[in-house]
Amino acid sequence: MSTEDKIRYLSEEIKRLKKERRAVILSHVYQRPEVQEIADFVGDSLGLSQQAAKTDAEVIVFCGVHFMAESAAILSPDKIVLLPEIKAGCPMADMVTVEALQEKKKEIPGVIVVCYVNTSAAVKAESDVCCTSANAVKIVSSLPEDRPVLFIPDENLGQYVARRTGRRIHLWEGYCNTHDKLFAEDVLAAREAHPNALVLVHPECRPEVIDLADAVASTTGMIRFARESDAREFIVCTETGILHQFRKQCPDKEFYLASDKLICPNMKATTLEKVHRALVTLEPRVTVPPEIREKALRSLERMLAVT
Ligand code: 13P
Ligand code: SF4
């Protein structure tokens, strides 16, 4: 069977099984194009959480990484949540542990902990409010000004939020291995090659890359910006999977990845074969223990109430 035939066959089987299982398939924009194509909803971390919270499906197949499936399990505890590749984690999420966070909280009396959604359920349970790259500025702006704020674990996003809100924020030394590989030189070279292009930057990028941006936004925010902009060309400073949505949603515009280093291996670990297998076996499942779920839910619900 050719690769195209295999993709066609698996996609049809997945669509059939999805109905049989009363399942919904959610995909992050960093997933492989063929995985995005079989999804009922493709979006950023915020959009995916909102979909997970409101779906009436019995099974959620999460094409993304572990913390995203955990958030779905927290928001929809009565559903079966499947993560087709159970080892698909997020290295940034692993850069903060409950123990380290508890220690840090002791050092800053009265601190409000804002946790990026890229954290484990247990860390969310130890935090006050969650955020994504789409709403981090709004969430921090909504906090009382007389209380110190600790932002975990993404230092670049935390620094960006501090600049945008004018607040002094305690930062954590976490970072995304994928966005961290992008340097200002890469963006400057791309700009030289495409002088008419606007630069779209994800706030997980280094500050010197953010400084070169025409727009800083979450993945969905970048796509919206490109759709609404009069510009015809864009340099994209985030994971390569997003190009599929850019080209689908803006077929008359050109998109150039700022560097071919922008690949997240964890996001690419989910394949159609694994989605198919997950729907057949209803495994691997992601669950969250009730005592952690209850506290983590508070952080997620506070975020969803502000957005
Ligand atoms: P958003 O899609 O929310 O912008 O997040 C990017 C990301 O790195 C998710 O892991
Ligand atoms: Fe984690 Fe970065 Fe991959 Fe997103 S792109 S899952 S933040 S490593």
Side-chain angles (χ1 to χ4, degrees), residues 21 31 47 70 113 115 117 134 149 167 190 208-209 218 222 226 233-234 240 246 250 254 262 280 297 307:
R21 297 295 200 191
Q31 291 287 297
E70 262 191 343
V113 181
C115 73
V117 71
V149 172
R167 284 189 70 142
E208 57 271 28
V209 170
S218 76
M222 283 186 187
E233 295 174 72
F234 301 88
T240 180
F246 272 132
C250 312
E254 294 293 333
L262 287 164
V280 171
L297 181 64
T307 7

Side-chain angles (χ1 to χ4, degrees), residues 3 74 78 164 168 253 298:
T3 312
I74 294 165
D78 52 333
R164 285 282 309 274
R168 195 181 152 257
K253 299 185 178 181
R298 281 205 288 265

Side-chain angles (χ1 to χ4, degrees), residues 170-183:
H170 296 266
L171 300 169
W172 196 269
E173 287 180 5
Y175 61 92
C176 162
N177 302 39
T178 301
H179 290 88
D180 187 62
K181 292 195 180 90
L182 185 67
F183 294 96

Side-chain angles (χ1 to χ4, degrees), residues 28 30 44-45 67-68 116 118 133 202 204 218-219 267:
H28 191 267
Y30 294 165
D44 64 0
S45 310
F67 74 80
M68 296 179 172
Y116 193 24
N118 299 40
S133 59
H202 194 278
E204 286 176 17
S218 76
T219 50
M267 284 287 184

Side-chain angles (χ1 to χ4, degrees), residues 123-141:
V123 166
K124 286 184 179 75
E126 196 60 44
S127 303
D128 296 294
V129 60
C130 211
C131 75
T132 75
S133 59
N135 58 24
V137 170
K138 202 168 171 185
I139 298 284
V140 170
S141 304

